Amino acid sequence: ADQLHLELIHTTEELQRLLVTAGELPGSAKTNLERWEKICVRSGRTLAERQLRVAAIGAIKSGKSTLVNALLGGDYLRRGAGVVTSIVTRVRRGEALKAQLFFKSWKTINNEIRQALVLFPDGNDGELNTAEFDLRQEKHRESLARGLANLSDDQLMCTDMRDPNSVLLTAYLKGFPSAAPLIDDQERQQAYTGEQFQQHQGFVGDDALSVYLQDIQLEIPATAWDEQVEIADCQGSDSPNPHHLAMIQDYLISAHLMIYVVSSRTGLRQADMKFLSMLKKMDSMSNILFAMNCDLSEHENLADLMRVVERTREELQPITANPEIFSFSALYHLFNLPDAELNAKAQGRLSAWRADPEMTAFADAQHEAFIQRLQHKLKFERFSVQAGAHLGRLDLSLIHISEPTRPTT
């Protein structure tokens, strides 16, 4: 495996050089080739680090954060009603409980804002038509607020979704009072440890604060996963914030294994099929485990739940021939942890679920099967999972090189 690992790194470096050379040819699709060169660089860096990255993905409210919490053995990630994950949250094993927030610099923030100001082609009242826009200037913030307030509904929408520029500008403006004291001329970090650990959740669950972050990494002690495994809790793929999908896609460039979470309340939705079709084009379907997150309160009996599971399996057939689906309740297993601290409402729900031994026995067996399958992939199939995902990205890069060149515009 070590020799193959070195050969893969060497092959990746050769492909990077090939992509650079192809981009320099007259009439080449330079922008597209540069993108794939960056993908190769990032994928190669992850391969060299021997880090195995697992992404929890799926639609809003499918239970991704709850599932990751259950995997980690505690309530570390924010969960609840509505959109509660606004940034990809990476989790690794560490010596002590720690949340590390990586903030953007003022230069990065202002550059992003200036690019988004194309939303105002006429410069609004003059302050928005300058390369000197600085969010720290009160007059600039006031001008931006007026400009956003004067936008029409058509300007706030773009091809049936919220305009990305308006979303970005609104978030920066809204979050400024709280985030500004934490931002510097240079990128800086903020750590929350011990009893302060939960403070990171305020940034993760608020677009107006998470927009100021480059990255966030949690360190959890005594998890079942080793130091070279990273688990990422991703935003909902159908989030109304268009930047969320872009962040998910960015993380998936360097991810090796995916846990696709589907809620048993809804089954697969149109948004799921659209996202899964995108993953199929990325040649990622062989690296997906499906977790049917069962709402034990929603189903009258086990037979009702199984109908949802079988329907989901049938709907997945056109995308992947043999989907691995494990059906269990992430919340039930989170509540059922030995050290779980439950309020009266949670205790009542747990008691109600335990009153149906057939359903809970099925959920227990499926959860155990899921954990065993995941552990087997992470421990005994680690290199093949890493190499397979990496080779898939290299293959896509080669396809783009071999495509007919298109004149640059």
Side-chain angles (χ1 to χ4, degrees):
D2 287 341
Q3 183 59 37
L4 286 173
H5 184 263
L6 292 173
E7 290 180 8
L8 270 176
I9 292 175
H10 176 71
T11 301
T12 304
E13 292 171 346
E14 290 295 316
L15 180 56
Q16 290 169 18
R17 285 191 282 271
L18 183 59
L19 285 163
V20 171
T21 301
E24 293 172 349
L25 295 174
S28 66
K30 186 175 179 63
T31 301
N32 197 35
L33 290 170
E34 285 178 347
R35 173 175 174 267
W36 282 100
E37 179 199 347
K38 291 178 181 178
I39 288 174
C40 281
V41 169
R42 285 187 54 188
S43 185
R45 187 182 302 124
T46 304
L47 184 69
E49 294 172 351
R50 293 181 179 267
Q51 193 78 36
L52 199 157
R53 297 185 172 180
V54 183
I57 54 178
I60 292 173
K61 300 309 300 168
S62 56
K64 299 179 296 298
S65 299
T66 304
L67 183 141
V68 174
N69 276 332
L71 290 175
L72 298 173
D75 234 340
Y76 301 109
L77 302 174
R78 181 173 179 175
R79 58 183 179 84
V83 180
V84 296
T85 305
S86 296
I87 186 172
V88 174
T89 306
R90 301 182 299 107
V91 186
R92 297 183 181 182
R93 182 174 179 173
E95 295 181 357
L97 201 60
K98 181 180 180 180
Q100 191 79 9
L101 278 61
F102 301 85
F103 288 93
K104 299 174 183 176
S105 66
W106 280 120
K107 179 180 179 181
T108 298
I109 291 168
N110 283 322
N111 282 342
E112 289 183 1
I113 291 175
R114 289 165 190 164
Q115 293 177 25
L117 290 178
V118 296
L119 186 64
F120 306 100
D122 298 325
N124 197 46
D125 58 6
E127 297 292 350
L128 303 183
N129 196 31
T130 172
E132 301 302 319
F133 184 93
D134 190 332
L135 191 63
R136 290 169 290 185
Q137 299 293 321
E138 184 176 4
K139 64 178 182 178
H140 289 181
R141 295 197 303 275
E142 291 175 348
S143 181
L144 179 57
R146 286 194 298 271
L148 289 169
N150 291 331
L151 290 175
S152 65
D153 291 342
D154 290 341
Q155 290 173 303
L156 292 171
M157 299 295 292
C158 178
T159 59
D160 298 326
M161 64 185 300
R162 295 169 64 190
D163 181 86
N165 292 320
S166 70
V167 171
L168 184 76
L169 295 171
T170 300
Y172 269 130
L173 197 60
K174 183 179 178 181
F176 179 84
S178 299
L182 302 170
I183 310 300
D184 205 340
D185 289 333
Q186 304 297 321
E187 294 177 1
R188 62 181 296 267
Q189 301 177 21
Q190 174 73 44
Y192 295 103
T193 59
E195 294 180 355
Q196 294 182 325
F197 174 80
Q198 299 293 341
Q199 292 184 31
H200 83 273
Q201 295 184 357
F203 291 87
V204 171
D206 188 343
D207 283 332
L209 294 179
S210 66
V211 72
Y212 285 88
L213 295 177
Q214 290 276 22
D215 194 12
I216 180 168
Q217 177 180 303
L218 308 185
E219 295 181 15
I220 311 294
T223 70
W225 320 109
D226 66 42
E227 292 84 352
Q228 288 188 313
V229 173
E230 174 179 286
I231 302 178
D233 180 31
C234 298
Q235 306 98 313
S237 57
D238 57 340
S239 167
N241 186 330
H243 295 284
H244 288 182
L245 181 58
M247 283 186 267
I248 298 169
Q249 292 173 318
D250 187 60
Y251 184 80
L252 292 182
I253 289 172
S254 56
H256 305 102
L257 182 65
M258 285 161 276
I259 302 172
Y260 198 97
V261 187
V262 181
S263 171
S264 72
R265 294 192 306 274
T266 61
L268 287 172
R269 293 177 287 182
Q270 184 176 1
D272 290 299
M273 300 305 289
K274 183 178 180 180
F275 189 55
L276 287 167
S277 296
M278 181 198 77
L279 294 177
K280 184 176 183 179
K281 291 178 182 178
M282 293 171 61
D283 197 25
S284 299
M285 298 308 297
S286 61
N287 298 322
I288 296 183
L289 298 178
F290 289 91
M292 173 67 75
N293 188 22
C294 305
D295 186 337
L296 301 181
S297 303
E298 182 75 14
H299 302 283
E300 183 175 344
N301 50 44
L302 182 57
D304 178 55
L305 171 61
M306 292 307 301
R307 281 192 287 272
V308 178
V309 175
E310 291 309 311
R311 184 173 71 245
T312 300
R313 192 183 304 278
E314 291 174 3
E315 292 170 344
L316 285 172
Q317 289 298 321
I319 296 177
T320 178
N322 298 297
E324 292 188 82
I325 304 177
F326 301 89
S327 306
F328 56 92
S329 168
L331 192 60
Y332 169 70
H333 291 287
L334 182 62
F335 285 177
N336 215 26
L337 290 170
D339 299 328
E341 296 181 2
L342 306 180
N343 58 29
K345 182 178 180 180
Q347 290 175 351
R349 295 177 72 181
L350 183 59
S351 297
W353 295 335
R354 286 173 173 168
D356 187 343
E358 183 183 31
M359 185 81 83
T360 54
F362 172 79
D364 284 334
Q366 284 283 293
H367 180 258
E368 180 63 25
F370 170 74
I371 295 298
Q372 289 182 2
R373 185 71 180 105
L374 181 58
Q375 288 180 333
H376 192 274
K377 279 187 170 291
L378 297 183
K379 293 181 179 180
F380 302 107
E381 298 180 26
R382 173 174 294 196
F383 180 74
S384 63
V385 168
Q386 285 179 307
H390 185 71
L391 286 170
R393 286 188 277 269
L394 297 190
D395 185 51
L396 286 173
S397 300
L398 287 169
I399 290 173
H400 282 79
I401 293 176
S402 62
E403 284 181 344
T405 57
R406 295 180 297 277
T408 56
T409 56

